[in-house]
Amino acid sequence: MSREHPTITLPPHGKSRDDVIAAMRKQRAKDVDWHAGQVFSLVFHAGDEAIELLQEAYTLFFSENGLNPTAFPSLRSFETNIIAMSAALLGSSGSVVGNMTSGGTESILMAMFTARQWARANRPHIITPEVVLPRSAHPAFEKAAHYFDMKLVHVSVGTDLCADVAAMRTAVTSQTIMVVGSAPSYPHGMVDPITEIAALAQEHNLLCHVDACVGGFMLPFVRRAGYTVPDFDFSVPGVTSISADLHKYGYAAKGASVVLYHNRELRRHQLFAATEWPGGIYASPTMTGTRPGGAIAAAWAIMNYLGEDGYTEIAANVMQAATAIKGGINAIDGLHVLGDPPMSLLAIGSDSLNIYEVGDEMGQRGWHLDRQQFPPTLHMTINYAHIDNVDRFLADLADSAEIVRKFSLRKTGNRVTVGAAKAATRMLPENVVSRLTGRAASLVGTGDSGGVPQRSAAMYGMMGTLPNRGDLKEIVLDLVESFTMPEDKK
Ligand SMILES: *Cc1c(COP(=O)(O)O)cnc(C)c1O
């Protein structure tokens, strides 16, 4: 059998603490420098003081385990507080209950699972439960359907990039159990018409989940800061569950989200208990068993440290930056913001330039912008880490657009460039793109990886020419596998 990857074993003898830390610092030097405020979406940063507080709170409860609330009443108190504060913020009039989870994905998995269990109890005629949702909804719903054997019915968004409620209505069948809207959607930052989606749910006695993972701890403060925000929370009749991530605009440490339900009856379907285990009676409300106390403690700490005033001030600053960035993008010849996003997420598109080339140029200037598809855009999640970088960002973006404009004029005959401009492509973080390139190249037969373009725009163009999307999925799954294996030393 051929050796697929190098064998790595535990070191026979332990190393010194200094050596271990030094080795990790060396690795870390290769990571993106999020602290400089040039990375979007992956890190939410509310300033150094906030980070220090999070670290202190996390370390204080570093060893504690959220699995057993009777052993750690402190964690239980933090958690019930966090849930209550979140529910109040998101329009609860008192009946809302919920749980903390490790993140938005787990919150959505729980909401989907709960809907399935609710349907089993209340809609026994349903064989394969269906969930109707806009195409812009987060892939965590697909993951949930993948895990829990449910069917998703995706509906195209309207020209305004919001959920098309009339189309959603048409997609409802006798097997439908839930409808979904996002507040806002990740790709374009648009808030779906939650009031209409929830009314549709009520018409057909369906559940209605609002994915406020990225907006739940921002939109209420955007509104408080004086901006217009459409209704999206439990104050809207018909909304039955909400997911909201503390580790995004809640500025908590990673591993903190909430899933909330409009009442106890619905949440009951989520809970799990094993009563016959020799190890004792075991019960747990969410997917995880052992849960890091640090994530719970840090979330409680930041909520109390910032408070309503602090979050509102941050939101006001972020919105000022976001407004300037939106205006600045629209003022650059050839570039535009898609739709009219009410918050601080947006997509940059172009009708005349290869936007992925613009992304490459920005990458050379240190800005990490994720690529999106259908249509090709660059994604931004503007948060507190970025507020001092607005002018520099816009200047670099204008520069990048200008360079790409000249480049495109010179290269209009280049098939790869033309292909890239129209490509149906796949969103992947920039830093994984080059590894994908070699595999894609062999599939489309553009020859050995020596001829593979190093810049992502050409690579995305090539991905668009793959024979079919099934191949693409297999390539991506290969890549996912490869990430769990040690890299070959060259
Ligand atoms: C981030 C996000 C999620 C998933 O959350 P994770 O914390 O990454 O698991 C779901 N929905 C939306 C709209 C998001 O922005």
Side-chain angles (χ1 to χ4, degrees):
M1 222 182 81
S2 71
R3 210 167 50 88
E4 276 195 43
H5 50 85
T7 307
I8 294 180
T9 59
L10 271 175
H13 310 292
K15 302 176 182 181
S16 77
R17 176 185 152 154
D18 286 351
D19 285 354
V20 170
I21 296 294
M24 294 175 80
R25 287 200 188 280
K26 199 173 150 205
Q27 294 283 352
R28 196 181 197 220
K30 302 176 203 159
D31 294 349
V32 294
D33 177 15
W34 56 266
H35 205 266
Q38 293 191 295
V39 178
F40 297 91
S41 303
L42 292 174
V43 177
F44 291 74
H45 174 39
D48 290 339
E49 258 180 54
I51 294 261
E52 279 161 27
L53 171 83
L54 290 173
Q55 287 175 341
E56 192 175 341
Y58 203 106
T59 312
L60 204 54
F61 287 85
F62 178 78
S63 298
E64 279 72 5
N65 189 338
L67 175 60
N68 186 341
T70 60
F72 302 110
S74 56
L75 291 182
R76 178 174 171 217
S77 151
F78 297 150
E79 184 161 6
T80 51
N81 254 262
I82 290 165
I83 294 160
M85 288 190 280
S86 306
L89 186 68
L90 295 172
S92 171
S93 52
S95 65
V96 169
V97 296
N99 293 91
M100 273 191 85
T101 68
S102 59
T105 300
E106 191 187 354
S107 289
I108 289 169
L109 289 174
M110 291 324 318
M112 288 281 282
F113 175 77
T114 299
R116 192 193 79 175
Q117 298 305 93
W118 169 86
R120 283 188 179 172
N122 296 290
R123 303 283 187 276
H125 71 277
I126 289 179
I127 298 157
T128 304
E130 296 180 3
V131 174
V132 175
L133 73 177
R135 189 62 262 187
S136 53
H138 194 275
F141 292 96
E142 285 187 60
K143 199 181 217 179
H146 178 64
Y147 287 0
F148 302 139
D149 200 18
M150 301 164 76
K151 182 178 165 193
L152 292 190
V153 182
H154 280 115
V155 173
S156 303
V157 293
T159 49
D160 59 358
L161 302 164
C162 292
D164 177 346
V165 184
M168 288 178 75
R169 178 173 285 106
T170 313
V172 170
T173 72
S174 64
Q175 303 290 301
T176 307
I177 64 170
M178 184 157 78
V179 290
V180 171
S182 309
S185 74
Y186 180 86
H188 306 124
M190 300 298 293
V191 176
D192 289 326
I194 301 300
T195 306
E196 292 170 52
I197 293 171
L200 170 64
Q202 286 189 309
E203 260 170 59
H204 295 272
N205 289 313
L206 306 171
L207 300 177
C208 173
H209 182 80
V210 175
D211 180 8
C213 276
V214 73
F217 292 95
M218 179 69 175
L219 290 173
F221 304 111
V222 171
R223 187 180 277 156
R224 251 162 240 184
Y227 295 83
T228 306
V229 169
D231 291 337
F232 72 98
D233 61 15
F234 285 113
S235 63
V236 177
V239 171
T240 55
S241 57
I242 295 180
S243 46
D245 293 350
L246 284 153
H247 64 201
K248 290 181 183 157
Y249 285 99
Y251 296 99
K254 280 182 192 53
S257 171
V258 292
V259 58
L260 303 171
Y261 298 94
H262 72 140
N263 64 27
R264 275 177 61 192
E265 289 74 54
L266 181 56
R267 198 267 300 267
R268 187 78 174 192
H269 298 286
Q270 177 192 287
L271 308 180
F272 171 80
T275 55
E276 308 306 312
W277 185 40
I281 292 177
Y282 180 107
S284 152
T286 54
M287 298 202 59
T288 47
T290 291
R291 291 189 303 135
I296 301 168
W300 187 88
I302 194 74
M303 290 171 97
N304 280 281
Y305 174 76
L306 292 175
E308 256 183 48
D309 288 356
Y311 279 115
T312 306
E313 195 190 319
I314 287 177
N317 280 304
V318 170
M319 285 306 291
Q320 212 177 355
T323 307
I325 287 175
K326 287 179 223 173
I329 292 167
N330 286 330
I332 296 173
D333 189 21
L335 299 186
H336 62 268
V337 173
L338 275 74
D340 185 14
M343 207 180 93
S344 41
L345 276 75
L346 59 87
I348 311 171
S350 177
D351 295 329
S352 54
L353 304 177
N354 179 341
I355 197 67
Y356 299 139
E357 285 285 357
V358 178
D360 287 345
E361 287 298 328
M362 288 298 277
Q364 305 214 325
R365 289 159 178 75
W367 302 96
H368 295 263
L369 298 159
D370 275 334
R371 277 62 165 166
Q372 303 195 113
Q373 58 182 347
F374 314 132
T377 59
L378 304 175
H379 188 268
M380 292 185 82
T381 306
I382 300 153
N383 70 69
Y384 198 69
H386 307 121
I387 60 173
D388 294 329
N389 287 349
V390 174
D391 294 341
R392 198 154 59 87
F393 175 84
L394 288 173
D396 282 349
L397 188 63
D399 246 29
S400 299
E402 189 52 40
I403 284 178
V404 171
R405 188 173 303 111
K406 288 182 190 152
F407 175 80
S408 303
L409 285 177
R410 266 191 288 127
K411 291 254 191 170
T412 34
N414 182 327
R415 309 255 335 247
V416 176
T417 310
V418 174
K422 323 182 195 160
T425 49
R426 179 79 180 87
M427 177 195 79
L428 281 172
E430 194 186 353
N431 59 339
V432 308
V433 157
S434 64
R435 300 190 56 191
L436 209 51
T437 310
R439 290 162 199 266
S442 64
L443 247 165
V444 292
T446 57
D448 65 340
S449 53
V452 162
Q454 285 309 303
R455 291 163 62 103
S456 75
M459 161 19 239
Y460 278 94
M462 196 158 61
M463 299 296 282
T465 65
L466 282 176
N468 67 62
R469 305 298 284 181
D471 290 338
L472 180 55
K473 192 158 182 171
E474 287 305 312
I475 291 170
V476 174
L477 292 180
D478 284 350
L479 190 75
V480 170
E481 268 186 342
S482 76
F483 282 149
T484 63
M485 294 177 187
E487 285 180 273
D488 273 310
K489 288 226 169 63
K490 292 264 159 61

